[in-house]
Amino acid sequence: MTEQAHLLTDYNNRRERVKNRLGTELFVATEDTVELLKLVIETGDIVCLEGNNQKQADFLAACLCQIDPRELNNLHLVQSSLVLDEHIELFRRGIAKKLDFAFSGPQARPLFEAVSDELVEIGAIHTYLELYGRYFVDLTPRVAMVVADACDEQGNLYTGSNTEDTPVITEATNFKNGIVIAQVREKREQLERVDIPADWVDYIVVTNEPYHHQALFTRDPAKITNLQVLMGMMVIKGIYAEYNLQSLNHGLGFATAAIELLLPTYGAQLPLPENCCSQWVLNPHPTLIPAIEAGIVKKVYPFGGEVGTDNYVQARPDIFPTDSNCLMRSGRCNAHIAGLYGIDCFTGATLQIDKYGNSSTAIKGMIAGFGGAPNLGSTPPGRRHMTGSYMQAGKFHHDNYFGRKLVVQVTPTMSEKKQIPVFRDKLDAYELYESGYFDVPPIMIDSDQVTHIVTEQGIAYLDRCCSRGERMAAIQAVAGDTEIGQRERKAETKKLRRQGKVKTADDLSIDPAQISTELLAAHDLTELKEISGGLYQPPDYLL
């Protein structure tokens, strides 16, 4: 029997079990969902429980947790994000054992504890495209549980603005004879559009309740600090304007939110070159609204939606990808392809940086995952189209010219809240590896991919350094009062500053009197709502 024939037989057997107990209906009652999962999932299965950055199949996760681990265990979960308590509870209860994932921000501490207690075996921390690719190769789910906004009587699904991972999960599973179960908020006579065709879906559970949807990328301007404003000013003048960056991505965090809110104010004062920062691969960040309204941002392709932004997005089809009804459709896989090959700069934060410039968010006490950073924060060897900034950051090697994506790590030298040094001689990632938690040290972005490190001390232009020693000296120059910064040699730093390989705020002629949150285009979420013309509706729990 061929593999495909075996998979089809296995698929039919699982469907037959459901037919014998629950009938042949496409729609399964909520009270029968636990029984459905027991009938279609087998011990040891590879299972994808849709956990995206923002939307979660929370009802299905809770149902899976209700199964007796003596009946079902040793599942191998393959999902991009761990967000819900239930995601960790599956491992605590012994229902799941192995995990391949990309991001676990809200569950970073519980995941570390579960790994330490040997309840979780981590296959790898992936970047999103890497995990999606493996869905079609060696990590194809036997059962996938996805989530959608609505369905019709035939079983077609509408995913709304948060399409995210749903198409890639569903396609990979369905076309290898896996079972697809959809948690749906409501059934409608007619859908706005069809995002997932009915013949890709085996069973639908209509909950008539909202699913968990997190405003992951929303940052309240009121919480931005003067230090973050300083770093944002240096990024805008010393990198974005200097390289005339036109296409870019921002990671989540207050430092990048500060940059977005400075573009219409400080950026206008410089002024920014024409079309600088005009094209983005980014969720509809509320902090991007002032730059959109100022005409700086001209196009945004989103990984997912963002709570409270639907009305604003619908009113700006000139900026966001929308259908004929002006309803946005995001795509995490598409966005990461664009982020890998179509942008010239990635700017993000990290928890630790070592003396060489390697960075990681896997530290003692927290395994936060990497999300898209290893993908977005790298120069793909297959890229062949050249842009001005890509050429400016590149160099000749063996008589061939290689362009480079700008990969910017923005961080204070010490974490602002706990005053923990960010710059470390040796990353915690190596200790996690030595403890047996990972097959290799979990480095988020390799040092050779990083082109700039920005702290309150200045910018290290690593793309301009000619040797590892020079790169290390540039990092030392901006590492402040840390074990790396204490190795700084003042004479070497002076030389690097003369050569433009390190620049301080003074070198960039940044006026100290301007370094204030007053410079931000909005100072709280209510002001963002006003700038949007009342279309942005901040979630109540953030106000």
Side-chain angles (χ1 to χ4, degrees):
M1 182 182 292
T2 65
E3 180 190 6
Q4 188 64 23
H6 171 76
L7 292 174
L8 182 58
T9 299
D10 178 76
Y11 170 81
N12 289 330
N13 288 341
R14 297 182 193 223
R15 294 269 303 180
E16 188 68 19
R17 293 199 295 261
V18 176
K19 176 183 176 182
N20 292 338
R21 294 292 295 274
L22 300 177
T24 59
E25 295 298 319
L26 168 66
F27 294 94
V28 176
T30 54
E31 61 267 25
D32 291 331
T33 305
V34 173
E35 183 66 17
L36 171 67
L37 299 183
K38 289 165 64 175
L39 292 169
V40 299
I41 304 175
E42 298 179 359
T43 289
D45 272 347
I46 296 177
V47 171
C48 183
L49 176 59
E50 186 169 11
N52 295 336
N53 264 358
Q54 290 145 292
K55 69 171 183 172
Q56 312 295 321
D58 53 351
F59 177 78
L60 293 175
C63 289
L64 189 57
C65 280
Q66 294 178 41
I67 298 177
D68 189 332
R70 291 173 295 185
E71 298 180 66
L72 183 66
N73 52 69
N74 284 304
L75 298 183
H76 181 176
L77 289 191
V78 294
Q79 60 190 73
S80 61
S81 299
L82 271 74
V83 172
L84 305 175
D85 293 342
E86 287 85 353
H87 294 157
I88 301 297
E89 186 64 21
L90 288 169
F91 293 95
R92 293 194 184 111
R93 299 199 63 220
I95 296 170
K97 180 61 179 177
K98 190 171 182 178
L99 173 67
D100 281 278
F101 75 111
F103 176 71
S104 62
Q107 297 295 333
R109 293 188 186 281
L111 177 59
F112 178 85
E113 292 166 2
V115 171
S116 300
D117 293 339
E118 299 184 350
L119 299 176
V120 180
E121 176 190 343
I122 293 181
I125 304 176
H126 301 71
T127 191
Y128 290 106
L129 277 183
E130 179 184 11
L131 185 59
Y132 300 156
R134 292 188 70 189
Y135 286 167
F136 293 92
V137 184
D138 61 322
L139 292 183
T140 306
R142 290 307 300 140
V143 178
M145 290 167 273
V146 299
V147 60
D149 278 23
C151 68
D152 60 18
E153 285 288 348
Q154 291 72 44
N156 297 300
L157 304 183
Y158 169 64
T159 55
S161 59
N162 276 83
T163 305
E164 296 198 67
D165 301 10
T166 315
V168 71
I169 297 169
T170 308
E171 182 171 346
T173 305
N174 175 259
F175 284 88
K176 270 298 181 181
N177 300 120
I179 300 283
V180 176
I181 304 168
Q183 169 188 329
V184 175
R185 187 172 62 190
E186 61 182 341
K187 187 194 296 185
R188 300 178 191 162
E189 288 187 10
Q190 186 171 355
L191 300 178
E192 293 87 335
R193 65 170 184 259
V194 173
D195 290 310
I196 305 293
D199 58 358
W200 290 13
V201 181
D202 294 281
Y203 303 104
I204 295 176
V205 180
V206 180
T207 64
N208 292 311
E209 293 180 352
Y211 51 77
H212 180 95
H213 185 192
Q214 185 177 6
L216 182 68
F217 288 89
T218 298
R219 291 295 181 270
D220 187 346
K223 296 180 180 179
I224 293 174
T225 66
N226 286 344
L227 185 147
Q228 290 157 350
V229 169
L230 168 60
M231 293 190 296
M233 293 170 74
M234 286 194 284
V235 168
I236 290 172
K237 186 169 186 180
I239 301 175
Y240 292 1
E242 185 161 331
Y243 289 79
N244 190 14
L245 281 164
Q246 299 188 16
S247 57
L248 64 160
N249 164 262
H250 276 177
L252 58 84
F254 285 100
T256 46
I259 297 170
E260 291 156 18
L261 290 169
L262 289 167
L263 286 173
T265 56
Y266 181 64
Q269 293 173 14
L270 290 176
L272 290 172
E274 185 178 1
N275 290 323
C276 186
C277 300
S278 60
Q279 300 184 56
W280 296 71
V281 178
L282 194 69
N283 277 29
H285 289 197
T287 45
L288 204 59
I289 291 172
I292 293 172
E293 294 302 310
I296 296 170
V297 174
K298 296 180 171 61
K299 181 185 290 185
V300 179
Y301 185 80
F303 302 84
E306 190 73 7
V307 178
T309 63
D310 282 357
N311 291 338
Y312 179 73
V313 167
Q314 191 170 3
R316 298 304 305 260
D318 55 322
I319 303 293
F320 299 95
T322 60
D323 58 24
S324 58
N325 297 312
C326 293
L327 298 173
M328 189 180 83
R329 187 179 192 271
S330 60
R332 194 162 299 280
C333 185
N334 298 340
H336 278 282
I337 293 171
L340 181 61
Y341 280 100
I343 63 171
D344 290 340
C345 178
F346 164 76
T347 301
T350 186
L351 295 179
Q352 290 185 350
I353 298 177
D354 70 10
K355 58 188 176 184
Y356 303 117
N358 296 302
S359 65
S360 184
T361 55
I363 65 175
K364 287 184 290 186
M366 293 177 62
I367 300 176
F370 303 148
N375 170 47
L376 297 161
S378 66
T379 299
R383 175 165 163 170
R384 290 296 181 267
H385 76 280
M386 291 291 160
T387 57
S389 60
Y390 205 73
M391 292 281 286
Q392 190 173 339
K395 61 182 65 176
F396 276 98
H397 182 66
H398 297 314
D399 295 329
N400 289 330
Y401 193 84
F402 293 88
R404 291 188 72 180
K405 180 190 296 182
L406 269 63
V407 177
V408 184
Q409 296 279 257
V410 184
T411 178
T413 57
M414 311 277 284
S415 64
E416 287 194 82
K417 286 185 179 180
K418 297 184 179 180
Q419 289 298 293
I420 298 173
V422 173
F423 289 84
R424 307 284 297 274
D425 190 62
K426 185 177 181 181
L427 298 176
D428 286 357
Y430 291 97
E431 292 186 40
L432 297 178
Y433 159 68
E434 290 161 1
S435 297
Y437 298 161
F438 297 93
D439 292 335
V440 296
I443 304 300
M444 182 173 69
I445 301 180
D446 294 332
S447 61
D448 61 353
Q449 296 291 335
V450 179
T451 60
H452 299 78
I453 295 175
V454 183
T455 74
E456 74 277 9
Q457 300 295 319
I459 303 175
Y461 291 81
L462 304 183
D463 61 320
R464 299 174 182 175
C465 295
C466 301
S467 66
R468 169 178 272 199
E470 200 168 60
R471 287 170 62 92
M472 292 172 66
I475 294 170
Q476 290 165 8
V478 300
D481 189 20
T482 65
E483 59 184 335
I484 302 301
Q486 289 166 4
R487 297 175 188 163
E488 179 193 12
R489 291 173 293 175
K490 299 296 183 181
E492 181 72 11
T493 298
K494 280 186 177 181
K495 178 182 176 183
L496 292 173
R497 288 174 66 184
R498 286 196 303 270
Q499 295 173 337
K501 296 175 181 179
V502 170
K503 290 186 182 181
T504 65
D506 187 53
D507 296 331
L508 292 167
S509 300
I510 291 175
D511 182 359
Q514 277 194 300
I515 303 169
S516 167
T517 56
E518 289 301 311
L519 189 58
L520 299 174
H523 302 93
D524 56 35
L525 293 173
T526 301
E527 286 191 18
L528 288 176
K529 179 179 178 179
E530 292 171 358
I531 295 169
S532 75
L535 294 173
Y536 170 53
Q537 297 293 324
D540 291 340
Y541 60 84
L542 291 179
L543 293 174

